[in-house]
Amino acid sequence: MRVTFQYEIKNLHYSFSETDYYLMLIVDIDVIAVLMTSSLVLTSLSGYYGFACVQIQYLFNKLETRIENLKNIHNCGQVIYIYQELIRIMKSLDESLSYPAFVIVLSGLLGLFYTNCDLLFVPKEGYLVYICITLGEIYFSVLFVMVILSASAVNNSSATTKERILSLPGKIPRHYNELKMVVRSECMRDVSLTLWKIYKIDRSLLISAMGSLLTYGILVATLGAIKD
């Protein structure tokens, strides 16, 4: 943003150099304030979201291991209860942070698109510009990848654990009918982490997003070449 504004100001040919100086000072202050605020908010949210997902995935993995070693019906009640609690936590997390997760992912994609446009179209003056653009791409990539990978890992662990829960009646044939009735009545809900309750998060979103960025990047580059 600052680089683009600098370039536009230089093409306006103001008669007073002080005007240029104060305009650039205002732009610098504005850019720094916006970047610091947005970075603090987005980084905090993505960090919290990623940490929560890692903890939930760990609990699902522990529960899955416990189910594999289960041989006594007396422990089935505890396993089913723990699974229900984890599903409840997942649902609560999705209800609270599905919209912030959507904002983080969208901000990351828009940030990547904008920094790449700067790299292609804005004149470069010095290596500091390249460093800023590179740091921006790294930052927005981390935001995007942190949410997608952590949430998709939780969704995969949840689905795998659910399959293990549904297989409980077969592990203890003596109580097959009883366990089957309990499992079907208590453990059939499908709960996933989503983006604003619109899109279930999975790893394929990484490829889709990168493909969209590449497509729009080629389109913008083509339009820019035609305009020139």
Side-chain angles (χ1 to χ4, degrees), residues 28-79:
D28 285 340
I29 294 173
D30 179 63
V31 169
I32 291 173
V34 171
L35 287 178
M36 288 184 64
T37 303
S38 61
S39 298
L40 182 62
V41 173
L42 293 178
T43 303
S44 301
L45 283 174
S46 61
Y48 175 76
Y49 190 85
F51 176 77
C53 288
V54 168
Q55 296 301 313
I56 294 173
Q57 183 190 7
Y58 172 77
L59 293 175
F60 270 123
N61 292 338
K62 294 287 289 184
L63 180 60
E64 186 177 349
T65 303
R66 185 171 179 178
I67 293 173
E68 290 178 355
N69 300 326
L70 187 66
K71 296 180 180 179
N72 193 333
I73 190 174
H74 299 293
N75 296 325
C76 288
Q78 294 180 352
V79 167

Side-chain angles (χ1 to χ4, degrees), residues 163-183:
E163 292 178 0
R164 299 289 186 183
I165 290 289
L166 295 178
S167 69
L168 281 178
K171 293 179 69 68
I172 308 176
R174 291 183 180 180
H175 304 276
Y176 179 85
N177 292 328
E178 180 183 353
L179 285 175
K180 185 176 181 180
M181 182 178 64
V182 173
V183 167

Side-chain angles (χ1 to χ4, degrees), residues 127-210:
Y127 66 93
L128 288 177
V129 176
Y130 290 98
I131 293 177
C132 291
I133 292 176
T134 302
L135 291 177
E137 290 190 351
I138 293 173
Y139 171 73
F140 289 117
S141 298
V142 169
L143 285 181
F144 174 69
V145 170
M146 181 182 295
V147 171
I148 298 302
L149 289 185
S150 59
S152 63
V154 170
N155 288 336
N156 290 336
S157 296
S158 173
T160 303
T161 305
K162 182 179 179 180
E163 292 178 0
R164 299 289 186 183
I165 290 289
L166 295 178
S167 69
L168 281 178
K171 293 179 69 68
I172 308 176
R174 291 183 180 180
H175 304 276
Y176 179 85
N177 292 328
E178 180 183 353
L179 285 175
K180 185 176 181 180
M181 182 178 64
V182 173
V183 167
R184 286 192 172 184
S185 62
E186 302 292 341
C187 305
M188 295 301 294
R189 289 188 303 168
D190 289 326
V191 177
S192 301
L193 298 180
T194 63
L195 297 177
W196 204 7
K197 298 186 179 299
I198 297 174
Y199 187 90
K200 178 183 175 181
I201 301 175
D202 53 38
R203 293 182 181 178
S204 63
L205 182 58
L206 287 173
I207 300 176
S208 301
M210 293 301 107

